Amino acid sequence: MNDSGMEQPQEMWAAFLKGDDSGLEKLYQLYFDQLYAYGFRYCADAVFVEDAIQDLFIKFINTRHKLTLPVSVKNYLFRSFKNLLIDKLRAEKRLSANDSPFEFTLAVDDTVMEKEQAMLLQQKLQKAMEQLTARQREAIYLRFYENFSYQEISSILDLSPKATYKLMARSIEALRVIYKAGAAIILWALQASFLF
C-alpha cells in the first residue's frame, strides 16, 4: 500500500499473480466503468461489451501462471481488452478484418465557459471530430479522456511511438483545418471537453 493507505493497481495485480483473486476483483471494480466506456465506442451493445469485460477477467484467471507484472496495469487492461473485443466482434462477424470503428461524442464542461459558448464549441468540435478517421478519434480519446501517454497509446493501438506521435499530430492538424482554428485553440478545446 502507498502512503495514503490506498492499494494501487500494481499492488492489486501483484496480489492476484500470487493467488489472491481479490486483487483481480478490485481491479475489475476499479476499471470496469472505463473499460465499458471504451468498449461501447466499438460496439453499442451493452450486454456484448459487459460479457467481453467478464471474458477478459476470466482469461486472466485461466492464464495467471503465464502473466507478469506490467509497467502500467491500466494500459495493459485497455490493450488486452481491445484485442479481445476486436477478436470477439470479428468472430461474430460484427466487424470485418479491415474495420476498426471507434465513435465518441464530445461534450463541453459548462463550468469552463458560458452555456451558449459551450454549445457552439461542442457542435463545431463534434462536426470536426466526425470527419476524422476512427483511428484518429481513438487516439484523441485515449490521450484526452483516458490521459494515456503517447507510449501507452502506441501500445494500445499497436503502433510505434513515432507513428503514434504522427497520428496524433495529423489528428490535431486535421481538426485545426476542419475547425478553422490554430492548434493551440484545438488543444484547449479538447482539454476543456470531456467525453461521454
Side-chain angles (χ1 to χ4, degrees):
M1 287 194 197
N2 65 9
D3 294 338
S4 67
M6 302 258 318
E7 194 173 11
Q8 295 298 306
Q10 293 283 84
E11 295 166 326
M12 295 174 199
W13 188 263
F16 163 66
L17 292 179
K18 291 177 185 171
D20 181 1
D21 287 343
S22 70
L24 190 64
E25 184 179 330
K26 290 174 189 173
L27 286 167
Y28 179 87
Q29 291 169 355
L30 180 64
Y31 289 111
F32 178 87
D33 290 342
Q34 289 174 293
L35 290 170
Y36 178 83
Y38 183 56
F40 202 77
R41 282 145 179 69
Y42 274 98
C43 174
D45 180 338
V47 173
F48 187 86
V49 174
E50 288 173 8
D51 287 348
I53 295 170
Q54 290 178 9
D55 289 349
L56 176 67
F57 281 82
I58 290 168
K59 182 179 177 183
F60 289 150
I61 290 170
N62 293 335
T63 59
R64 178 185 349 226
H65 63 284
K66 296 179 185 177
L67 300 175
T68 59
L69 186 63
V71 174
S72 166
V73 172
K74 180 180 177 182
N75 179 265
Y76 181 73
L77 290 174
F78 268 72
R79 187 177 69 238
S80 300
F81 179 59
K82 177 185 175 180
N83 291 339
L84 182 136
L85 184 64
I86 299 255
D87 288 347
K88 284 178 66 77
L89 286 167
R90 287 183 179 148
E92 292 196 10
K93 307 236 185 293
R94 293 185 182 208
L95 191 65
S96 73
N98 297 327
D99 284 344
S100 183
F102 188 84
E103 299 296 330
F104 70 91
T105 305
L106 286 168
V108 178
D109 185 350
D110 290 341
T111 62
V112 176
M113 61 190 69
E114 298 295 324
K115 281 191 178 218
E116 201 170 296
Q117 291 173 320
M119 290 298 291
L120 274 173
L121 176 62
Q122 177 184 357
Q123 290 167 357
K124 283 181 75 176
L125 199 51
Q126 183 60 42
K127 283 182 182 177
M129 292 295 292
E130 289 168 2
Q131 295 180 49
L132 297 180
T133 68
R135 198 146 178 107
Q136 288 173 323
R137 289 191 299 270
E138 184 173 7
I140 286 174
Y141 173 84
L142 292 170
R143 180 72 183 126
F144 292 98
Y145 182 68
E146 292 297 339
N147 296 315
F148 279 118
S149 69
Y150 283 89
Q151 187 71 35
E152 292 170 323
I153 294 168
S154 72
S155 171
I156 293 168
L157 297 181
D158 199 24
L159 295 171
S160 70
K162 184 177 180 180
T164 302
Y165 279 104
K166 281 183 180 178
L167 175 65
M168 190 63 73
R170 287 182 182 143
S171 303
I172 291 175
E173 177 61 17
L175 283 176
R176 189 191 70 72
V177 170
I178 297 164
Y179 197 78
K180 296 182 174 89
I185 298 294
I186 295 299
L187 290 173
W188 173 81
L190 287 168
Q191 290 170 342
S193 300
F194 65 91
L195 311 169
F196 63 89

